[in-house]
Amino acid sequence: MNFLEERILKDGIVKEGNVLKVDSFLNHQMDINLYEQMGEEFARRFAGKNINKILTIEASGIGIACIVARHFGNVPVVFAKKAKSINVDGEMYTAEVMSFTHKNKNQVIVSKKFLSEEDHILIIDDFLANGCALQGLMQIIRQAGGTIEGIGIAIEKGFQPGGQLIRNLGIQLESLAIVESMDAATGNIVFREQK
Ligand code: 5GP
């Protein structure tokens, strides 16, 4: 069992509706030492990749992405913003994202100034569930003409379809913990075996 799986078992709480609450260390209060370990592990898993930028989505991905960037030569971190209005000007790449946790649709935007066809991008996020957030980010990278070098996720819920969907596209997807099943009644969490 790796460091993140151990932490999830210690401090994670399984909620009804397939929600894993990890807000005491990952996406509300943030354990920076844990983020450091995550950064090290992503650097190991994406070793040899030519990455010059990290892309994430607000809000929970930002803190993780910033620490991960320290392990990739301090490359810039860009985060997609959730836009309130549909009136975005032509200076933005845009995509629609369905929110798993809030069950609403957000338009996400990135300024054209900060992504281009020269970029070799590592996408970072806290969770992968249905893959909507990642698909939005990939759509934005496609608009920019950039290259997706890989995707690094803290926690993938393997019983939801996002992971399979992304791997079928032939993209290197690395999830530090993959939850195979979880049970809100017992609090039991089972992880997928990883190499
Ligand atoms: P997806 O777009 O893959 O369906 O969901 C990814 C996003 O939903 C993540 O960025 C994360 O913020 C949120 N999310 C999905 N599942 C969970 C969960 O079980 N717990 C928490 N805390 N957030 C989740």
Side-chain angles (χ1 to χ4, degrees):
M1 193 173 305
N2 73 26
F3 63 96
L4 184 59
E5 293 167 335
E6 278 172 11
R7 188 60 179 272
I8 294 167
L9 288 190
K10 182 167 163 275
D11 292 326
I13 299 166
V14 184
K15 295 280 188 191
E16 291 295 339
N18 284 335
V19 172
L20 178 61
K21 212 162 185 287
V22 286
D23 61 353
S24 65
F25 61 97
L26 195 75
N27 54 18
H28 192 168
Q29 175 167 260
M30 301 183 282
D31 182 335
I32 303 306
N33 265 331
L34 185 83
Y35 282 20
E36 278 289 345
Q37 283 178 287
M38 287 166 49
E40 264 171 42
E41 181 60 17
F42 283 134
R44 191 181 70 77
R45 294 194 189 196
F46 292 107
K49 291 261 177 170
N50 167 30
I51 289 160
N52 74 328
K53 202 161 273 187
I54 291 180
L55 179 66
T56 186
I57 182 164
E58 72 173 350
S60 315
I62 298 175
I64 301 169
C66 289
I67 303 290
V68 170
R70 311 280 294 167
H71 295 265
F72 286 84
N74 292 318
V75 294
V77 175
V78 176
F79 65 91
K81 294 187 175 200
K82 290 170 182 161
K84 290 188 181 59
S85 116
I86 342 192
N87 276 331
V88 285
D89 56 33
E91 300 307 304
M92 300 282 181
Y93 304 116
T94 69
E96 286 240 311
V97 170
M98 183 73 196
S99 163
F100 175 81
T101 30
H102 301 110
K103 311 278 180 244
N104 61 348
K105 256 191 190 170
N106 275 306
Q107 191 170 37
V108 297
I109 57 171
V110 171
S111 168
K112 288 185 178 173
K113 283 187 288 195
F114 304 129
L115 277 187
S116 76
E117 68 277 354
E118 322 235 295
D119 286 322
H120 290 258
I121 299 155
L122 174 64
I123 299 177
I124 293 287
D125 205 2
D126 60 340
F127 267 94
L128 170 55
N130 292 323
C132 302
L134 286 184
Q135 290 203 3
L137 294 178
M138 293 193 301
Q139 211 177 309
I140 280 175
I141 294 172
R142 239 176 275 126
Q143 290 168 40
T147 307
I148 302 171
E149 292 291 343
I151 301 177
I153 298 289
I155 306 172
E156 173 181 336
K157 291 186 291 181
F159 53 87
Q160 288 178 272
Q164 188 63 43
L165 222 114
I166 302 287
R167 290 189 179 93
N168 285 347
L169 298 173
I171 296 171
Q172 185 184 353
L173 166 63
E174 299 288 347
S175 302
L176 301 184
I178 303 178
V179 177
E180 202 65 90
S181 65
M182 57 188 203
D183 185 337
T186 60
N188 206 35
I189 302 173
V190 177
F191 296 106
R192 186 178 301 170
E193 191 106 14
Q194 297 200 64
K195 28 162 187 125

